[in-house]
Amino acid sequence: MTALAVAWQILVAVALTPVLVGVMRQVRARLEGRVGAGVGQPWRDVRKLLAKEPLAAEGAGPLMSAVPVILVISSLVSVALVPLLGIATLAWVPDDLFVVVSVLLVGTVALALLGLESGTAFGGMGSSRHMMIAALVEPTVLVAVYALSVPVGTTALSSILQARMSDPTTVISPVSLLALVALSIVVLAETGRLPVDNPATHLELTMVHEAMILESSGRDLGWLELGSWLRLTALLGLVVNLALPWGVAADLGVGATVIATLAFSVKLLIAGSMIAAAEVFLAKVRLFRVPELLAGSFVLAFLSVTASYLLV
Amino acid sequence: MSALDIAKLLRRVGRITETDTAASPSDYTPPAALAGSVQVRHVDCGSCNGCEIELAGAFGPVYDAERYGARLVASPRHADVLAVTGAPTRNLAEPLRRSVEAAPRPRVVLAIGDCAAGEGAYAQGYAVVGGVADIVPVDLVVRGCPPPPDAIVAALRQVTGK
């Protein structure tokens, strides 16, 4: 029964992810005065890419086609582990904070290897930037969620979420607000959004994520796109559920699951639209100022941990 | 400019894009795999930058080629359509050939402008090889010097079928 719930969660996440990206692009297009390609465009793009044969650069090794698969698997596992729809989790894989962060890190490292594998200058440059950002992001994610775990006494995400659902006052406590702001900043950095990375850039020198996938094509590129978007769903889904824990299914009943699916879709799409609207006002920050931004978010997370011991 | 000023500007400007025109009929049949989604890589092989300005206009807010499912990308590996501009020079013939080879099949080569079609201001110049068709197989040609953005959008719509 739990396995069925987790399978449903993966299915919802995979179906919702292209819609999320489509909504984000559409909001941006409308604000820029354009008509936009429509919400279904990312899904059409991925479907077309998956049907195309990949071309590998001369001298590129087996990682070119292995990394996209690794990235998708790591994203799917994290989507399965993060409590997006319900707090029921598989008994044999803990939905522990450290497990989720490690699973995401597998995808991060795989992407960095892909950038090096193609052997182009831009790929390696993207990989080094990607690892720099990852090294600054991971501690903040761990510390911020750790702050939320202190009152609960466990680092299992479902238990944290359950505690927040049963006692809504913890959601607006200083600890929670500081941790959520810190988490939001690092989620933007981890998923390659503005102001850390520009997903629509054509200038190789400013690229981070795009630089690593420049040499991938066809089916490989399709899996890479889907894998990176699923990371966005997992991380953004975690943040919206921690910020607004209402609607998450407390049991495995059909009614609760339907409500949870609807509530999660609405929360995720609204959060995505808000990010896209905010991005219209933002420019990408200079690469050497990214550590300042991420150090700021780490400070917030650290203050949150301190507050969680002092204010409770 | 403060965020408030930008918000006011967005509100005042509203929708910029010109209204939809009916797709022009043509006898060109695009690859079925590209229906509804086309990624475009621009390849400049000796242009005067006139066509570049019009191509940028085609993807700008006024003509908005993106609403028909076409999107500019940064690498020929990601591309379905190679939009080639300019009179191909001897030095850029080989890079053009390699760029086209770098795009996965099915791919479409779109020659934009009179120069790319083998005519125009620089034809028969000592540095010019000829047209794009003399170097790589061309699927679609957009004429004009430079071609207006709506002609480029019309050609892209023939590929996306929207």
Side-chain angles (χ1 to χ4, degrees):
Chain A
M1 200 60 194
T2 321
L4 203 64
V6 171
W8 174 247
Q9 173 164 314
I10 296 175
L11 200 70
V12 169
V14 172
L16 203 57
T17 295
V19 180
L20 170 68
V21 177
V23 166
M24 289 176 81
R25 286 191 191 158
Q26 193 65 22
V27 167
R28 201 187 158 99
R30 282 292 159 87
L31 286 176
E32 287 173 347
R34 296 186 286 121
V35 175
V39 172
Q41 191 60 35
W43 186 77
R44 283 192 287 272
D45 289 352
V46 163
R47 188 188 56 180
K48 178 206 67 189
L49 283 171
L50 291 181
K52 286 187 91 170
E53 279 295 313
L55 283 178
E58 207 174 306
L63 273 180
M64 284 302 275
S65 45
V67 165
V69 178
I70 296 171
L71 180 70
V72 168
I73 292 174
S74 112
S75 302
L76 284 177
V77 172
S78 50
V79 158
L81 291 181
V82 173
L84 299 178
L85 298 182
I87 48 177
T89 49
L90 294 171
W92 35 277
V93 194
D95 67 330
D96 194 274
L97 157 70
F98 294 93
V99 175
V100 173
V101 171
S102 313
V103 167
L104 283 172
L105 200 58
V106 170
T108 306
V109 173
L111 260 178
L113 289 176
L114 176 80
L116 296 170
E117 181 77 2
S118 59
T120 60
F122 289 129
M125 190 189 69
S127 297
S128 83
R129 291 174 176 181
H130 185 63
M131 290 320 288
M132 181 196 81
I133 292 172
L136 294 163
V137 158
E138 304 298 338
T140 311
V141 177
L142 289 173
V143 171
V145 186
Y146 176 69
L148 302 177
S149 76
V150 169
V152 188
T154 166
T155 50
L157 292 172
S158 54
S159 307
I160 296 175
L161 196 60
Q162 194 164 26
R164 290 168 82 81
M165 278 163 73
S166 53
D167 184 10
T169 52
T170 56
V171 176
I172 49 162
S173 67
V175 177
S176 164
L177 292 178
L178 283 168
L180 285 175
V181 172
L183 259 184
S184 309
I185 295 173
V186 293
V187 164
L188 293 183
E190 180 71 21
T191 53
R193 311 296 310 185
L194 286 168
V196 175
D197 186 10
N198 182 358
T201 184
H202 298 279
L203 190 62
E204 287 90 346
L205 289 173
T206 69
M207 287 177 176
V208 182
H209 176 78
E210 289 283 318
M212 292 183 291
I213 62 169
L214 271 181
E215 281 292 323
S216 294
S217 59
R219 194 169 57 228
D220 291 348
L221 182 66
W223 289 126
L224 285 172
E225 297 268 52
L226 197 63
S228 335
W229 295 344
L230 277 169
R231 287 165 78 91
L232 177 68
T233 306
L235 285 167
L236 195 60
L238 176 65
V239 172
V240 294
N241 271 357
L242 286 174
L244 305 163
W246 299 280
V248 177
D251 54 64
L252 292 172
V254 174
T257 309
V258 169
I259 291 171
T261 308
L262 288 176
F264 176 67
S265 310
V266 170
K267 281 189 282 188
L268 189 73
L269 295 181
I270 288 176
S273 311
M274 281 165 64
I275 291 177
E279 281 183 338
V280 176
F281 294 86
L282 287 177
K284 183 180 172 300
V285 298
R286 209 158 63 93
L287 185 73
F288 294 113
R289 290 190 57 196
V290 169
E292 291 174 26
L293 180 75
L294 296 177
S297 78
F298 182 77
V299 169
L300 291 177
F302 188 74
L303 282 174
S304 170
V305 172
T306 316
S308 71
Y309 281 108
L310 295 180
L311 295 182
V312 175
Chain B
M1 204 180 211
S2 72
L4 193 65
D5 292 335
I6 301 175
K8 280 180 188 160
L9 187 69
L10 293 178
R11 229 181 109 78
R12 199 175 70 231
V13 169
R15 182 175 142 167
I16 305 170
T17 311
E18 301 214 329
T19 42
D20 211 345
T21 48
S24 49
S26 80
D27 49 358
Y28 172 72
T29 44
L34 304 185
S37 163
V38 161
Q39 261 81 309
V40 184
R41 176 63 196 167
H42 170 219
V43 184
D44 176 348
C45 55
S47 172
C48 68
N49 275 0
C51 296
E52 274 64 36
I53 294 171
E54 306 303 321
L55 188 63
F59 284 91
V62 178
Y63 294 95
D64 194 20
E66 224 176 288
R67 66 184 143 155
Y68 304 116
R71 191 160 56 88
L72 280 175
V73 290
S75 165
R77 295 257 187 242
H78 301 183
D80 312 301
V81 168
L82 292 128
V84 188
T85 56
T89 59
R90 293 184 196 286
N91 283 337
L92 283 164
E94 184 56 28
L96 171 63
R97 222 171 269 134
R98 286 191 202 165
S99 301
V100 173
E101 277 306 309
R105 287 193 172 82
R107 60 186 173 222
V108 174
V109 178
L110 174 64
I112 294 176
D114 283 346
C115 293
E119 292 170 24
Y122 305 103
Q124 279 100 49
Y126 66 90
V128 176
V129 178
V132 173
D134 298 327
I135 302 165
V136 290
V138 170
D139 300 284
L140 278 167
V141 182
V142 186
R143 300 300 297 259
C145 184
D150 45 6
I152 299 172
V153 172
L156 288 171
R157 285 178 74 179
Q158 288 185 21
V159 185
T160 63
K162 284 178 92 177

